[in-house]
Amino acid sequence: MKDKMITFLPIGIVRNEVKDSQDASFDWSQITSEIVLDEHYSAYTRGLEEFTHILVIFWMHRPAKKKLVADVHPRGDKNRPTVGLFASRSPHRPNPAGLKLVELIRVKGNIITVKGLDALDGSPVVDIKPYSPGYDSIEE
Amino acid sequence: MKDKMITFLPIGIVRNEVKDSQDASFDWSQITSEIVLDEHYSAYTRGLEEFTHILVIFWMHRPAKKKLVADVHPRGDKNRPTVGLFASRSPHRPNPAGLKLVELIRVKGNIITVKGLDALDGSPVVDIKPYSPGYDSIEE
C-alpha cells in the first residue's frame, strides 16, 4: 500500500513539562498540557468550551527505538500474557497515532488547556474532537 | 508547520456497501464493515476478540469538495447556531481523520468485522485500538 500514503499537516503542538519518554508506570492523569494550535485556527475553537472533555489525536513523534513486533505484554507488564499488538494500546504501532480522551480545562483562542494528555512535549497534533458520551462511549 | 508533515501508511482498508458520500442524516449504525488489514498483520489481531468494541482511526479519503471554514452548523443542521469547526464532528476538517467507536462482531486473522463504522468503502485505516471504558469514557 506504499502508493496510498496518508499525509497530515499538524494543526498544532503539545506543550507540557514531560520532555522525555516515560515507562508504562508514569502517571499522566495529573499532567496539564497546552495544545497550541496554529494561530489561524483561533476561530475554529469557538464553542469548544461547552464540552467537559475532548478527544485528541496526536503523533507520537519520539518513539522508543524498539522493533515493531506482533506480540506485546498489555501495559508493558511482563507478568501478563502477550496479545497481538492491535489488542493493546502499546505505543509501538505501525502508525504511532496517539488517541486520548482528556479533561478540558480552558479554551482561549488557539490555546486549549487540557489535563491527562499522555503526549510528550512537542508532539504534533493531528485533530481534536469534542467528546459526546452518546457517540463516543457505550452504555454498560 | 509544512516542515513537520506526518506520514502514515495504511494498515488496511474498509470494505462495505457504502460507495458514495452520504449526508448527515444517513444512519451508519446498522452498516457492517470489514476492516481488511494487510495480511502481514494477521498475527497482530490476536486477543482482539476479547473486546466488545474497538476504536477505528481512518482517513476520510473522499471528502466533499467544500471549502474549509471556521464556522459550521453542528450535524449539518442549518437550524442550529454555528460553532467553530473543532467544536463539531464535521468531516470537513484540516486533517480528515475519522474516529469511530464501533461494535466488534468478529476477528479472523487479518479481517475484522465491525458494525457502525461511518467510513466509506475503500477508506484507508490508520490504526485500531481496543476500547476500554475506564480509559476511553467518562463516568457521569
Side-chain angles (χ1 to χ4, degrees):
Chain A
M1 291 209 180
K2 288 214 194 298
D3 55 331
K4 304 250 185 188
M5 292 231 289
I6 302 169
T7 303
F8 292 135
L9 211 53
I11 58 171
I13 205 160
V14 174
R15 287 297 174 206
N16 63 28
E17 67 198 60
V18 189
K19 310 297 176 189
D20 295 299
S21 293
Q22 303 293 330
D23 66 22
S25 68
F26 186 76
D27 179 14
W28 292 92
S29 67
Q30 299 307 308
I31 299 293
T32 297
S33 298
E34 285 187 347
I35 298 172
V36 182
L37 300 182
D38 286 2
E39 280 188 18
H40 64 275
Y41 290 132
S42 295
Y44 284 58
T45 64
R46 184 171 59 87
L48 190 62
E49 68 279 0
E50 300 295 319
F51 294 85
T52 61
H53 294 80
I54 63 173
L55 292 154
V56 182
I57 302 175
F58 59 98
W59 185 33
M60 297 183 282
H61 68 310
R62 284 176 47 199
K65 299 290 179 204
K66 286 190 187 174
K67 193 171 173 295
L68 194 65
V69 290
D71 299 306
V72 298
H73 295 280
R75 297 182 201 171
D77 180 351
K78 291 200 175 8
N79 293 319
R80 299 175 68 174
T82 62
V83 296
L85 180 83
F86 290 137
S88 83
R89 297 294 277 250
S90 166
H92 310 294
R93 314 179 79 76
N95 290 317
L99 167 64
K100 189 67 173 66
L101 173 63
V102 298
E103 184 184 348
L104 182 59
I105 306 292
R106 175 183 332 119
V107 181
K108 202 170 173 187
N110 66 315
I111 299 181
I112 303 167
T113 307
V114 301
K115 195 166 153 186
L117 181 60
D118 56 351
L120 292 180
D121 181 63
S123 297
V125 177
V126 174
D127 200 5
I128 57 171
K129 299 181 192 280
Y131 173 78
S132 300
Y135 186 79
D136 295 306
S137 72
I138 303 297
E139 271 188 45
E140 299 297 313
Chain B
M1 289 205 181
K2 289 216 193 297
D3 54 331
K4 304 250 186 187
M5 292 229 290
I6 301 170
T7 303
F8 293 134
L9 209 55
I11 59 170
I13 204 159
V14 174
R15 288 295 174 210
N16 63 28
E17 69 199 59
V18 190
K19 311 297 178 191
D20 295 299
S21 294
Q22 303 293 329
D23 66 21
S25 68
F26 186 76
D27 179 13
W28 291 93
S29 67
Q30 300 306 308
I31 298 293
T32 297
S33 299
E34 285 188 347
I35 298 172
V36 182
L37 300 182
D38 286 1
E39 280 189 19
H40 64 274
Y41 291 132
S42 294
Y44 285 57
T45 64
R46 184 170 60 86
L48 190 63
E49 68 280 0
E50 300 294 320
F51 294 85
T52 60
H53 294 80
I54 63 174
L55 292 154
V56 182
I57 302 174
F58 60 98
W59 184 34
M60 296 183 282
H61 67 311
R62 284 177 47 198
K65 299 290 178 203
K66 286 190 186 174
K67 195 171 171 294
L68 194 65
V69 290
D71 299 306
V72 298
H73 295 281
R75 297 181 202 173
D77 180 351
K78 291 199 175 8
N79 294 318
R80 299 175 68 174
T82 62
V83 296
L85 180 83
F86 289 137
S88 84
R89 297 291 279 248
S90 166
H92 311 293
R93 315 179 78 74
N95 290 317
L99 167 64
K100 189 66 174 66
L101 174 62
V102 298
E103 185 184 345
L104 181 60
I105 306 292
R106 173 182 336 116
V107 181
K108 199 168 176 189
N110 66 316
I111 300 180
I112 302 166
T113 306
V114 300
K115 194 167 154 188
L117 181 60
D118 56 351
L120 292 180
D121 181 63
S123 298
V125 177
V126 175
D127 200 5
I128 57 171
K129 300 180 192 281
Y131 173 78
S132 299
Y135 186 80
D136 294 306
S137 72
I138 303 297
E139 272 187 46
E140 299 298 312

